[in-house]
Amino acid sequence: MRKDESGICGWLVRPAGGHPWAVLGVVLAASAAHAARVTPDGGMDNAIVVRAARTWLAGGSPYDDPHFLYLPGAVLAAVPQALLPGAVLRVLVPCAVTALLALGWACALRLHRVPLRSRLAVLGLTGLAAGFAPFGHLVRLGNWTVTAAVALPLSLLLASRGRWTAAGAVVGAAVALKPLLVPVVLLFLFAGRWRALAAAVLVPALASGAAALLMPDPAGFFTRTLPFLLHADDGFVRLYEASPAAVLPRLGVPRALAEGAAVAAAGAGLLCAYARWRRADPGPPRLAETGAGLMLSAFLVSRPSYDHYLLVVLPLLLAGVPYAGSVARGPWFWIALLPQAPGLGWPWLESERRRAFKDAFTLGVLAVTVARRARAPETAAGVGDPVRARGAPVSPAPF
């Protein structure tokens, strides 16, 4: 992609001073401290997994709780938390989620070869924490989506450095905790990286199989969780789902038609992600945009699909802003994010139970914006290098 050594993007990749970093520290600390104050159990979603682990330690089945939607490996991973007092979890979980989101942002930056000391590094994370509502939602909920928000950019970073098998293992480990990154397995298929594909499949399969043998209900995920995901009508959960299959029926569209539209949109997104990979232009945007396209396509059809799932793909796209022609350079990328600005009221959508309409708008517009990259024309020479300021080359600094 074309290299531009002037303008705002050149300014963004220069080193940041101390004041922006101090502001970022205050913003992240405030986000974690607020979550610790309002969530006494370390977050509602994290509490579900911890409760499942405690149920298992007491001899019960974690899958007795229909809202436990994780593979058996997550139960064992949550055991250390289950042994900690609530007062510790109240502080530990928001801090851990915030730190992991920062790590995911750092991986996205390094994927795009942007220095970690740059203005984009500090301003981008500050913007996500202070200007993107799902960031705060994820910190307060303590949802294990954060594992995918780290694993996806880390795996793509490893793949960009030729370490495809390690990338597959990272994806597999994340799937073993929460099966959110299953669509990324298709990226290894697109690339013909069979060892990476094997690692992405075998790691969660072996981990889940071994953990299931320790459960009183080894097949609980398949006999209880999958039927719940596919057929259950959970009125409370449905209010917060952003997929078209959940939002359109709330507008009067027949459910069968809504589900068909969601499947069609997801299929189209999958084809566009494959076409984006087939374009084969070198450089990090190819990996980032293909991975984001696969995940957004899945979010269009997956049940459930929440606003904080966007944090799995948004850092990957935002970190690519120094590249000419990147998704983050287009106006529709920013239009999609507008409903997620904290404190911005929207008529008839002020209720928390109606925010799914805003989330569906963001998800749909982002999915279309990324899908359009499948047919974007090639830009000028300098492929694979980010925009950089004159006299301040981007060096291949170690991760």
Side-chain angles (χ1 to χ4, degrees):
M1 289 186 175
R2 188 176 65 251
K3 192 190 306 177
D4 180 7
E5 297 188 352
S6 62
I8 184 64
C9 287
W11 179 84
L12 282 172
V13 298
R14 296 191 187 113
H19 292 89
W21 289 107
V23 171
L24 174 60
V26 170
V27 169
L28 295 181
S31 177
H34 173 69
R37 288 191 63 215
V38 301
T39 55
D41 53 2
M44 179 180 68
D45 292 352
N46 182 69
I48 292 174
V49 191
V50 173
R51 186 165 59 247
R54 288 173 177 160
T55 299
W56 175 69
L57 290 173
S61 172
Y63 294 102
D64 288 341
D65 182 354
H67 291 132
F68 179 70
L69 307 178
Y70 300 78
L71 291 169
V75 177
L76 300 186
V79 166
Q81 286 193 66
L83 302 176
L84 294 175
V88 174
L89 291 179
R90 180 174 189 167
V91 177
L92 177 63
V93 173
C95 291
V97 172
T98 302
L100 289 173
L101 287 172
L103 177 59
W105 172 243
C107 292
L109 290 169
R110 294 310 300 140
L111 168 65
H112 290 284
R113 303 167 191 169
V114 176
L116 296 182
R117 294 178 294 176
S118 65
R119 291 187 176 105
L120 178 58
V122 62
L123 295 178
L125 186 54
T126 303
L128 286 172
F132 189 61
F135 188 103
H137 297 165
L138 184 56
V139 174
R140 287 193 296 274
L141 291 170
N143 193 283
W144 284 33
T145 295
V146 71
T147 59
V150 176
L152 181 57
L154 176 57
S155 65
L156 297 181
L157 173 61
L158 291 169
S160 72
R161 298 182 175 185
R163 302 172 61 184
W164 283 90
T165 303
V170 169
V171 171
V175 170
L177 296 177
K178 182 172 183 175
L180 194 63
L181 291 187
V182 168
V184 180
V185 172
L186 292 175
L187 175 61
F188 306 129
L189 185 63
F190 293 170
R193 300 289 178 165
W194 310 117
R195 290 184 179 180
L197 179 63
V201 173
L202 290 177
V203 168
L206 294 176
S208 299
L213 294 177
L214 301 176
M215 303 290 148
D217 184 9
F221 180 82
F222 298 99
T223 60
R224 300 190 189 187
T225 300
L226 281 182
F228 175 81
L229 289 172
L230 296 174
H231 304 296
D233 188 5
D234 190 318
F236 174 77
V237 170
R238 193 175 299 278
L239 290 173
Y240 299 94
E241 290 189 54
S243 68
V247 170
L248 291 178
R250 296 177 65 181
L251 297 175
V253 177
R255 179 166 298 179
L257 181 59
E259 292 177 350
V263 171
L270 177 61
L271 292 176
C272 288
Y274 179 64
R276 176 63 184 95
W277 179 259
R278 292 274 296 177
R279 255 178 55 197
D281 51 307
R286 182 191 186 198
L287 280 166
E289 291 169 5
T290 303
L294 288 171
M295 292 306 303
L296 288 168
S297 299
F299 296 159
L300 288 172
V301 74
S302 66
R303 306 295 305 275
S305 183
Y306 300 126
D307 66 333
H308 53 258
Y309 286 8
L310 296 170
L311 282 163
V312 177
V313 299
L314 185 58
L316 284 172
L317 302 175
L318 182 60
V321 73
Y323 287 84
S326 66
V327 171
R329 291 278 194 104
W332 284 103
F333 174 81
W334 300 100
I335 292 172
L337 302 184
L338 187 60
Q340 305 302 329
L344 182 60
W346 295 86
W348 301 287
L349 299 179
E350 296 91 344
S351 169
E352 187 67 20
R353 293 190 172 191
R354 290 187 175 182
R355 71 157 295 114
F357 295 106
K358 298 188 291 184
D359 301 335
F361 174 85
T362 299
L363 172 59
V365 174
L366 269 183
V368 172
T369 302
V370 173
R372 291 184 63 211
R373 291 290 297 149
R375 61 178 181 83
E378 299 292 343
T379 53
V383 176
D385 287 327
V387 177
R388 59 180 183 241
R390 189 179 305 276
V394 177
S395 61
F399 171 66

